[in-house]
Amino acid sequence: MQLTKQQIDYCMECGVCTGSCPISQERAGFSPRQMIKRTLVETDENVLYSNDLWACLSCSRCSDRCPVGIDFPEFIRSYRQKARAVANLPRESHHGVFQTLSTLQAGASRLNRIAWTEGAGKIAAKGEYFYFVGCAPFQTPVFKYLGLNVIDTAKNILKLINAVGIEPVVSNDERCCGHDAFWAGNEELFAALARKNVDTIVASGAKTVIFGCPEGYATFREHYPQVVGELPFEIRHITEFLVERLPEAGVVMKDAGEGTVTFHDPCRLGRRMGMYEQPRQLISMVPRARFKEMENNRENAVCCGTTAWMECSSCSKKMQTNRLMEAEQIGAGTIITACPKCQIHLTCAKSNTDIGIEVKDLYSFLAEQL
Ligand code: SF4
Ligand code: SF4
């Protein structure tokens, strides 16, 4: 839903947004409060050619605190759509490989998306549950150089779903969820991907879709209905699903041994979807997992520094390094996250420092204790 100028007009110019924004702290002149004001008093053209349009991470730290509830990420996203029309485009990371892959998936290309499932667990071609894997199969070869094997996250999620007695559908016809296209203002691509995914899930006969990636989950929940109307199936994030199903299935975790772990809240799972407790409850199911919060946790968590594979900057690197140091300062040996992109970004930052902390995804942490 796009914000109207009337809604923006409620802005009281209190500056809470700018004071909360991690980019404003690092990038001279970037101010959500002033951007709102500019759109009210200047012509659209002045705003549309600004690079600041692409600097926002859509992390929702500002909108979460705004006293009049202005959804600044949505406000800036709607301007991005118009900026594309005047050729003001973002700087794409990794040579634009992920943007290209999204575009290709909106076409008729046939994909082999399920090769990784061989030997990893049991899947079905049709059934009640659909596991929406997301972009892990494409991220895996790109981030090998960081020593990461992103597909392990998907393998471990499948293992956990199997552990509660479910053999989910995993499909070659799944497509990129369109999250990045949406936040980069490319609504046409987003709509094409949304329609393909809904058709695929409906054809599988699934009644419930389980998401490992918070971005896919948030995109289906918040933005798909704008394109396809009410979803004809239920959607669950794997953390809320497992919090219910692991105890019901009588799954008992092994001892995690010594060492302190902490949790980095992904923006989409936390501030946008309000799921703060479920990942923490899952960590607490592992015996002897010594858990400690970082100073900035839950609503106050700081973004992992980059969104939608664009505008990776010195601000991004500083935010990521600060986050790792925050975890190290509380004595954590492991920082756990529930988002593949957070894991990739924090691992990337770590590779350029001598910070020794381990960056781990929640599902590998859990599956290793099964
Ligand atoms: S926090 Fe909300 S009301 Fe305050 S300046 Fe920002 S947008 Fe305006
Ligand atoms: S969404 Fe995040 S990065 Fe964007 S203006 Fe708000 S606080 Fe800053």
Side-chain angles (χ1 to χ4, degrees):
M1 188 190 64
Q2 292 193 4
L3 296 184
T4 63
K5 282 210 168 170
Q6 282 80 1
Q7 286 167 298
I8 296 160
D9 203 26
Y10 284 118
C11 173
M12 305 187 301
E13 296 192 47
C14 65
V16 164
C17 50
T18 302
S20 309
C21 174
I23 297 292
S24 296
Q25 285 167 26
E26 302 295 337
R27 178 173 163 134
F30 182 84
S31 160
R33 179 185 70 81
Q34 286 189 359
M35 286 190 86
I36 285 179
K37 193 166 181 193
R38 278 178 72 188
T39 59
L40 291 171
V41 299
E42 295 180 23
T43 60
D44 263 5
E45 278 63 37
N46 279 353
V47 181
L48 291 182
Y49 288 98
S50 164
N51 286 339
D52 282 351
L53 275 184
W54 301 107
C56 168
L57 301 163
S58 64
C59 74
S60 305
R61 214 166 184 247
C62 54
S63 50
D64 212 48
R65 297 175 178 183
C66 171
V68 291
I70 291 177
D71 187 349
F72 186 80
E74 173 52 33
F75 160 80
I76 207 147
R77 194 199 64 77
S78 62
Y79 272 87
R80 285 175 179 175
Q81 195 191 345
K82 294 186 231 168
R84 295 187 87 85
V86 297
N88 177 9
L89 299 170
R91 281 175 302 163
E92 296 174 343
S93 312
H94 307 286
H95 310 285
V97 65
F98 293 113
Q99 284 82 357
T100 304
L101 284 165
S102 281
T103 307
L104 287 172
Q105 291 182 66
S109 42
R110 287 169 63 83
L111 303 175
N112 183 355
R113 270 182 155 272
I114 67 169
W116 63 269
T117 60
E118 206 178 320
K122 294 179 187 159
I123 63 165
K126 282 191 178 288
E128 197 179 331
Y129 293 92
F130 191 107
Y131 168 32
F132 193 92
V133 176
C135 292
F138 304 116
Q139 290 162 352
T140 302
V142 176
F143 295 107
K144 277 264 161 56
Y145 76 98
L146 291 175
L148 263 181
N149 196 23
V150 184
I151 203 66
D152 283 349
T153 302
K155 288 181 180 176
N156 284 319
I157 288 175
L158 180 60
K159 212 183 270 184
L160 289 159
I161 295 174
N162 285 170
V164 300
I166 293 169
E167 294 178 16
V169 177
V170 179
S171 174
N172 278 326
D173 294 329
E174 180 189 314
R175 294 292 182 262
C176 164
C177 71
H179 169 277
D180 297 348
F182 183 79
W183 286 102
N186 191 344
E187 292 202 356
E188 201 180 328
L189 176 57
F190 167 70
L193 293 165
R195 289 195 192 97
K196 273 182 182 284
N197 278 323
V198 172
D199 288 349
T200 296
I201 294 164
V202 169
S204 77
K207 301 282 177 284
T208 302
V209 185
I210 303 167
F211 294 83
C213 175
E215 292 188 344
Y217 175 71
T219 303
F220 268 65
R221 184 164 294 293
E222 286 195 289
H223 308 300
Y224 270 34
Q226 294 161 26
V227 174
V228 298
E230 195 183 336
L231 296 177
F233 40 74
E234 183 192 25
I235 60 170
R236 308 292 309 273
H237 189 259
I238 184 77
T239 52
E240 56 173 345
F241 188 76
L242 290 176
V243 161
E244 289 168 16
R245 297 298 184 99
L246 285 173
E248 275 172 22
V251 175
V252 178
M253 300 280 182
K254 285 187 299 195
D255 196 316
E258 296 300 321
T260 301
V261 301
T262 191
F263 183 69
H264 167 77
D265 293 89
C267 303
R268 298 294 185 262
L269 193 65
R271 277 185 293 269
R272 284 207 91 87
M273 294 291 104
M275 286 193 202
Y276 297 112
E277 299 315 318
Q278 291 86 341
R280 290 171 170 81
Q281 286 168 354
L282 288 173
I283 293 170
S284 74
M285 286 180 193
V286 176
R288 273 214 297 160
R290 198 146 23 97
F291 181 78
K292 204 164 173 194
E293 292 286 3
M294 285 183 277
E295 185 183 343
N296 292 297
N297 64 69
R298 298 183 172 82
E299 298 86 348
N300 297 323
V302 184
C303 171
C304 71
T306 321
T307 310
W309 304 119
M310 60 186 185
E311 300 294 320
C312 183
S313 65
S314 55
C315 295
S316 314
K317 291 291 161 232
K318 193 147 185 210
M319 287 168 65
Q320 290 154 0
T321 310
N322 285 346
R323 195 62 168 152
L324 292 170
M325 285 178 1
E326 198 181 337
E328 212 176 43
Q329 274 156 14
I330 57 155
T334 305
I335 181 168
I336 296 174
T337 187
C339 172
K341 284 187 186 165
C342 294
Q343 190 192 13
I344 290 165
H345 296 146
L346 293 174
T347 304
C348 176
K350 189 189 133 172
S351 70
N352 294 313
T353 69
D354 54 8
I355 297 173
I357 198 163
E358 184 184 16
V359 183
K360 201 170 186 100
D361 76 279
L362 176 61
Y363 317 105
S364 302
F365 177 73
L366 294 173
E368 282 168 10
Q369 310 311 131
L370 278 178

